Amino acid sequence: MRENTGQAIATVERAVEVLMHFAETPSPTLGVTEIAEALGMSKAAVHRILASLRVRGLIELDLVTRRYSLGVGAMRLGLAYLDRLDIRRIAAPELMALSQRTDETATLSMRTGWTRIYVDQVTPAREVIMSVTLGVPYPLHAGGSSKAFLAFLTEEEIESYLAQRSLEPLTSETIADTGKLREELAAIRKRGWARSFGERMAGAASVAAPVFDHHGRPIAVLSVCGPQERFRDEVDTCAEALLESTARLSGQMGWTEEERR
């Protein structure tokens, strides 16, 4: 019985390897020989696995080319996973870890049209801290979290935002000039994160970076923020910790560094 169980587990593991190879290979179709050589399996074993996966619609066969591709069943699995994703719940441990690592406030923002709102935060255990108000909408050009959203939208969306809205300043530090804002967004895209010193609220500072979904879209933004005078010396350290957190969350949402490049 143990031997049969072991064989069954090995078969399942090989089937998973085949499915993951389809998901990780750039080519939309694969042949039996390609799969066998890449995974170190015999062609007979690969053929048996593909036949089993076809029964459940996880793999499809083009009868003309005799090449295989992911099937509707694989898409249904992926969509079922995506439907169950709750970014606020998934991000909660990262917010806690980020706040503890930086000893500053960590926040999570979501986009709502041309504005964004804070939906969660974790504050540190120290006397002087920064705290944000959840649920209040802010424009996408004012502050670190807002600019982290705007910078990673498509060029068409950015131009639409700039055309439809006047860049009203929230403080004297808010970037209200279209040309300067475009330069700032380009710099944010290049380094991967945004920073703000008093742009949304006087006396406050932050670094912020997007969390990408499986399409590479900014689904949320994490930020680390604190009192401006103290934060100036913490920017690089906080940004490093921030990017590690957003990379992990983006991976959980289906985005990878390979796709980003």
Side-chain angles (χ1 to χ4, degrees):
M1 184 177 296
R2 285 196 296 270
E3 183 178 349
N4 290 338
T5 301
Q7 290 175 346
I9 292 173
T11 300
V12 171
E13 290 176 345
R14 287 196 296 270
V16 170
E17 284 186 47
V18 170
L19 277 174
M20 292 306 297
H21 185 60
F22 274 95
E24 295 166 356
T25 301
S27 175
T29 64
L30 293 170
V32 172
T33 301
E34 292 174 75
I35 299 170
E37 291 178 351
L39 300 180
M41 298 182 187
S42 69
K43 289 193 285 186
V46 170
H47 192 274
R48 286 195 299 271
I49 290 170
L50 291 172
S52 297
L53 295 174
R54 283 183 63 199
V55 172
R56 292 293 184 178
L58 294 168
I59 292 294
E60 293 179 353
L61 171 64
D62 186 317
L63 296 176
V64 176
T65 64
R66 308 303 299 177
R67 292 178 67 81
Y68 295 83
S69 61
L70 289 174
V72 174
M75 180 185 71
R76 291 177 60 192
L77 282 175
L79 291 176
Y81 172 75
L82 292 175
D83 286 342
R84 289 163 175 77
L85 287 179
D86 178 352
I87 185 62
R88 191 170 181 271
R89 174 182 59 80
I90 294 172
E94 286 292 346
L95 283 182
M96 181 65 72
L98 191 55
S99 179
Q100 291 175 345
R101 179 175 173 182
T102 61
D103 204 21
E104 296 289 3
T105 298
T107 75
L108 174 70
S109 292
M110 302 288 289
R111 181 183 163 206
T112 57
W114 292 132
T115 65
R116 62 94 190 170
I117 60 173
Y118 291 111
V119 296
D120 204 358
Q121 67 176 321
V122 174
T123 56
R126 61 193 303 178
E127 186 173 354
V128 180
I129 66 169
M130 179 178 166
S131 179
V132 301
T133 303
L134 305 186
V136 176
Y138 296 104
L140 293 184
H141 65 279
S145 292
S146 292
K147 292 186 299 181
F149 267 119
L150 186 59
F152 291 93
L153 297 180
T154 65
E155 290 295 335
E156 292 77 12
E157 288 172 316
I158 293 173
E159 291 306 315
S160 180
Y161 179 84
L162 297 178
Q164 293 181 32
R165 298 181 63 94
S166 58
L167 302 183
E168 298 179 2
L170 299 186
T171 73
S172 61
E173 299 300 323
T174 304
I175 300 177
D177 178 81
T178 301
K180 290 182 179 179
L181 182 59
R182 284 197 176 96
E183 292 177 2
E184 173 74 356
L185 297 179
I188 292 169
R189 285 193 296 271
K190 185 175 181 179
R191 67 173 174 260
W193 53 277
R195 60 188 166 207
S196 169
F197 288 93
E199 294 180 25
R200 181 189 64 82
M201 183 173 71
S206 68
V207 291
V211 176
F212 297 102
D213 67 11
H214 62 295
H215 291 302
R217 300 273 297 170
I219 191 175
V221 163
L222 291 188
S223 81
V224 180
C225 52
Q228 184 169 321
E229 290 307 312
R230 183 176 74 210
F231 203 80
R232 289 188 182 278
D233 296 328
E234 303 175 348
V235 170
D236 291 339
T237 301
C238 289
E240 181 181 356
L242 173 71
L243 290 178
E244 290 178 10
S245 289
T246 54
R248 283 190 292 267
L249 283 175
S250 295
Q252 289 179 266
M253 304 304 291
W255 190 236
T256 66
E257 288 295 334
E258 288 74 18
E259 289 172 300
R260 200 171 287 127
R261 286 193 289 269

